[in-house]
Amino acid sequence: MARRAARPAPALAAVGDTPLAVLPGCGPKLAEKLAARGLTTLQGLWLQLPRQYEDRTRLVPIGLLRPGETVQVEGRVQAVQRGFRYRPVLKVAIADDSRGTLVLRFFHFRSAQVNQFRVGTRVRAYGTARPGQAGLEIVHPSYRVLEDDGSEGLGESLDPVYPAVEGIGPVSLRRFIAAALDRLPGDDELELLPAPLRAGMPSLREALLTVHRPPREADLGALLAGTHPAQRRLALEELLAHNISLRRQRIARQAHAAPVLGQPSLALALRDSLPFPLTGAQQRVFDELRADLSRPLPMLRLVQGDVGSGKTVVAAMAALMAVADGRQAALMAPTELLAEQHMASLSAWLEPLGVRLAWLAGKVTGRARAAVLGRIASGEAQVVVGTHALMQEGVEFASLALAIVDEQHRFGVHQRLALRDKGAAGGDSVPHQLVMTATPIPRTLAMSAYADLDVSVIDELPPGRTPVRTVALAQSRRPELVERIRGACAQGRQAYWVCTLIDEPEEGEGPAAAMKIEAQAAQTTFEQLSTQLPQLRIGLVHGRMKPGEKQSVMAQFKAGRIDLLVATTVIEVGVDVPNASLMIIENAERLGLAQLHQLRGRVGRGSEESSCVLLYRAPLSQTARLRLETLRESNDGFLIAERDLELRGPGEVLGTRQTGLAEFRLADLARDADLLPRVQQLADALLEQDPAAADRIVARWIGGAVRFAAA
Ligand code: ADP
Ligand code: MG
């Protein structure tokens, strides 16, 4: 009996993976342009979702047009005027039976176009009506000249407008996507969500078809707002993909071992030596950290706490858990000023307990650097405090057991990981990670942006703080303000005057240029205020000063030998001078909510009633007004963060360098927050019951490329 060669069953090639070359008209050149946008397969095009819709399914009578409406109209040419006064212009007046006239205005046109428009020609145009010199007009409409007596049908569905792809015109792009959609398979191949868990929502196939080709009767308002059921269905799956991806990373991380840090006595000794009792929230969060650290799995915990909630002490106690075990802890801060301040606090707290500290920043060079590196590498230094310099090459820890990153939102995920990779000695073991932020992340964001980490919240301020009174004041009232500072300082109060970036740096110039502009603004203000307030002791700090100079000015301010400190936003994070009770922020309208809240957090740290004056330049934009109002009304970091999220969107709230958050195709964490519980539920179910489907969902929405660094 002849043995037949065993042939593997033909792999069921998923239609979605088909290369775009199958599409008519998609030659290698075009395929390359699409690939530059990451579009290489049919599935890529299915998920290339419209940004906007144009309604060409109906005609609006010209007589009923209102300014601001985006519409399709049809009429006959009444008059054509070509002018050259300041620049070439072509005006075509059209009218329909509704006794209205509309001008189509063009600034760029070819003569062939001019010849198209003869009096009496039928034209169909689409665009936004605006008031013109004589009635309404549409500037640069998209238009078509119609056969004189033919009756041309209207569009069957709303026209999708896709994000532009360089080198491909919108019409071709629309055609390719339509052709890809024609090959959309049935739900038996497409659908990956278990039916009971998507109850009440359309299937993937149905959702995709609706979003790309909304039927004429579809709710355009909902589509434009992104709240149509079809869009919600897609957003659900996209959020799910991100959630699964993050949870996978968490699982991968937990495959590593971490040192068991189980000796709290040193940490408790610190607690008992402090001049104040911990707040209940601090104690609770420390207990959470302690539980994590005593397990042989790497901790990754985010501690959130509003400015002034006392995160540093808690971090110091965690560091002592590493020290007690004979290992090292590192604390990294985003700015030198802040790192210096941490060094000062930690030295004061830890040295009396016999703990050896080391300090490392970019400015530490040459021999001093070699000496510090030596102490870190030998393990002599038990707690290392510093800036980004801690992550540089050449920094090797003897036995790093805990990496702490302060103000984590200022760092990218990659940087956080680089510190972790300074690894604990010994095999597969990795350090525990503690990240801290004073920019409270709204719960909804935390749930999805940080699905890979645990979150603790210090939701209580130390007792005796009085809320900061905040007022907004137009720049024109600056003279009054100067008087007010004179009065406040005469009573022994201290004040900050914060100068912000007044001009944007030129295109292509980096943060150094911004820092320079800020520094100049601060210098000028410093000189003005010195003239206006000769009786006050005025200091200046900005990012371009030498660290030693900055430190000495800060020290004088802290010691009360400076009354008024003119500063740039370098003092935004962490600086702690409890006696300072007045803050003026110039050009407050230019800053984001989170940043303003951070700055304001520099005052209100003592028992003295503090105030914050937001100086702005009129007129205020609508958003700027809302921002300033929010600050006036609230001192609650979480509420402010929620508002910030509404005003700015999650990408910006978390910073562009954060994860892949800003890159959602369609989901919007603020708008779709109510889907998140369902996302969690689905992720649980899929990871347990159908990991292959979970993989396919991640691949479909996020792609093979790891967009999140493996954490
Ligand atoms: P943040 O959370 O903004 O980093 P810090 O750790 O800088 O806050 O703490 C702010 C100030 O509050 C510091 O001077 C710190 O010593 C003090 N502090 C911290 N915890 C307490 C507490 N439980 N009671 C009183 N003061 C505290
Ligand atoms: Mg802090």
Side-chain angles (χ1 to χ4, degrees), residues 276-279 282 306-313 349 462 465 576 605:
F276 46 76
L278 294 187
T279 62
Q282 284 171 315
D306 210 345
V307 287
S309 61
K311 294 182 288 296
T312 320
V313 171
W349 291 330
R465 305 263 171 92
D576 186 38
R605 302 190 146 231

Side-chain angles (χ1 to χ4, degrees), residues 198-249:
R198 63 173 168 83
M201 287 194 164
S203 72
L204 184 61
R205 181 185 154 84
E206 194 186 330
L208 283 172
L209 288 175
T210 306
V211 165
H212 283 285
R213 298 171 175 164
R216 186 189 297 217
E217 66 279 5
D219 180 348
L220 183 60
L223 279 168
L224 291 176
T227 55
H228 191 280
Q231 291 164 313
R232 304 253 304 158
R233 166 65 179 79
L234 298 178
L236 176 77
E237 191 169 316
E238 181 170 35
L239 291 168
L240 176 64
H242 283 259
N243 192 286
I244 291 172
S245 152
L246 285 167
R247 283 163 67 165
R248 279 271 156 80
Q249 287 166 31

Side-chain angles (χ1 to χ4, degrees), residues 31 65 118 120 198 218 240 252 267 290 302 307 337 364 407 413 523 640 672 685:
L65 276 186
R118 299 186 189 289
R198 63 173 168 83
L240 176 64
R290 190 176 143 188
L302 172 71
V307 287
L337 195 58
V364 180
E407 304 299 347
V413 170
Q523 180 71 42
I640 289 172
D672 302 323

Side-chain angles (χ1 to χ4, degrees), residues 59-62 72-76 94-98 102 122-125 144 146-147 150-154:
L59 291 172
V60 174
I62 291 174
Q72 179 167 254
V73 294
E74 190 178 306
R76 285 187 189 272
I94 62 169
D96 59 13
D97 301 338
S98 65
L102 173 73
R122 278 175 66 213
V123 179
R124 194 177 280 175
R144 222 151 43 99
L146 304 178
E147 293 294 318
S151 59
E152 323 231 344
L154 293 168

